[in-house]
Amino acid sequence: MILTVTLNPAVDHTVRLDESLEAGRVQRASEARFDAGGKGINVAKYLDELGAETLATGVLGGFLGEFVATRLTADGIAHDFVETDGRTRLNTTVLTDAEYKINHRGPSVDGSVVDRVIERIERHDPETVVVAGSLPPSLGVEAVDRIAASADWETVVDVGGEQLDRLAGSYTLCKPNRAELAAATGAPTATVEECARAAEALRSTGFERVVASLGADGALVATRSGTVHVPAPEAEVVDTVGAGDALLAGVLAALAEGKPDEDALRDGVAVASRVVGVPGTTIPARSSVGDPMD
Ligand SMILES: O=P(O)(O)OC[C@@]1(O)O[C@H](CO)[C@@H](O)[C@@H]1O
């Protein structure tokens, strides 16, 4: 089972404006939606859709935390969160002529919460643990290292780029985006070739594989045997929120089925290209033949 840990979840509020943003006047949204979000939660949602056994844990609090739990239950996503006093955040995406994303930093949580999260993980005895998303302001990367070192599960990590090079644990996979790859390595990432070099440099610092999401340029995977790039197919983009999480879910579901890295990356890119075509972190309807979501 692949268990996801979201230490700083969110309710994702996505609003659409049929005009440009303007200062000094009230503008009315033409559409709005609320989704249970945060990177680990999204990964669990997409894994579930892909038919992989999964469960979401992490930290929830307040009325927004209740919304997340209720929504996951309604969507049939298995979850087991630690409850805290700090209120789960509300992150906003505004879709106009461009995409604007405003994320709260999230509530501070007590360091002992990490022990409670580890207890929850142990309860479900996963093969793989995915720690994804920003950390609450009060926690450092040692919290992720503690989770990774608590048992013999494989740990996958998707935290901020500037935190990746501070991790000291053992990780089977990390998933930076282009900006995070640059932040983690200090290397140029303007071209796919530069990203490939940066991903290899990051991998050689101690990750078994690095899966880098490159937006419209697709994604690449760096392993000990080399680096493979998979371009993104042409896609109608509604918004990009959750695309990296969809990529990761596609890759992990394929690896769990025993597929090789290159095929897993192809599946991940296919899933991500579906997710950019729907608003928020909606799970796209199954349709096209050969799609790993079918
Ligand atoms: O602030 P973080 O934790 O880095 O990112 C949180 C977030 O932007 O990531 C998800 C999309 O990947 C959204 O569901 C959520 O709002």
Side-chain angles (χ1 to χ4, degrees):
M1 190 243 278
I2 304 173
L3 181 148
T4 73
V5 179
T6 315
L7 294 169
N8 199 9
V11 172
D12 282 319
H13 181 208
T14 307
V15 291
R16 178 181 296 286
L17 276 186
D18 292 337
E19 56 188 359
S20 301
L21 267 182
E22 273 177 48
R25 125 181 136 76
V26 173
Q27 293 179 273
R28 306 281 174 192
S30 55
E31 278 172 45
R33 56 176 297 120
F34 294 93
D35 292 300
K39 296 190 195 310
I41 287 175
N42 294 339
V43 172
K45 290 186 332 193
Y46 300 134
L47 280 171
D48 182 76
E49 183 60 20
L50 290 164
E53 194 192 350
T54 186
L55 178 135
T57 187
V59 182
L60 290 176
F63 72 102
L64 293 165
E66 272 174 39
F67 174 90
V68 170
T70 305
R71 194 56 191 269
L72 290 177
T73 303
D75 289 345
I77 312 295
H79 62 91
D80 186 6
F81 280 84
V82 170
E83 283 180 32
T84 57
D85 295 339
R87 192 185 57 225
T88 293
R89 59 196 171 137
L90 177 76
N91 291 345
T92 301
T93 306
V94 181
L95 304 175
T96 63
D97 39 6
E99 182 179 312
Y100 298 88
K101 181 97 169 70
I102 302 163
N103 286 7
H104 287 245
R105 293 190 190 283
S108 290
V109 297
D110 192 279
S112 65
V113 158
V114 179
D115 298 318
R116 291 167 63 202
V117 169
I118 291 170
E119 276 166 29
R120 297 297 168 107
I121 303 172
E122 284 168 342
R123 199 185 274 182
H124 300 282
D125 193 23
E127 280 98 45
T128 304
V129 172
V130 183
V131 184
S134 58
L135 302 176
S138 50
L139 294 183
V141 285
E142 315 75 55
V144 184
D145 283 334
R146 272 175 61 205
I147 292 172
S150 293
D152 61 358
W153 49 63
E154 299 201 323
T155 309
V156 170
V157 65
D158 179 10
V159 293
E162 61 297 332
Q163 292 172 319
L164 284 175
D165 65 349
R166 297 211 297 271
L167 288 167
S170 166
Y171 296 92
T172 49
L173 189 156
C174 78
K175 197 225 62 70
N177 60 25
R178 194 187 289 251
E180 289 167 336
L181 202 51
T185 58
T189 54
T191 65
V192 171
E193 292 69 29
E194 286 174 343
C195 289
R197 280 195 288 275
E200 171 50 24
L202 181 58
R203 188 202 65 78
S204 66
T205 65
F207 297 99
E208 202 173 312
R209 56 172 78 68
V210 173
V211 172
S213 52
L214 306 180
D217 282 333
L220 53 83
V221 60
T223 63
R224 198 170 304 164
S225 4
T227 302
V228 175
H229 171 239
V230 173
E234 289 281 311
E236 183 82 10
V237 177
V238 174
D239 76 59
T240 61
V241 179
D245 310 329
L247 171 77
L248 182 54
V251 168
L252 293 177
L255 290 176
E257 284 174 22
K259 291 191 185 176
D261 283 288
E262 183 170 348
D263 293 354
L265 188 66
R266 280 185 209 294
D267 280 9
V269 169
V271 178
S273 75
R274 294 283 299 285
V275 166
V276 297
V278 292
T281 55
T282 320
I283 299 167
R286 297 162 185 242
S287 64
S288 55
V289 176
D291 188 315
M293 278 199 168
D294 282 318

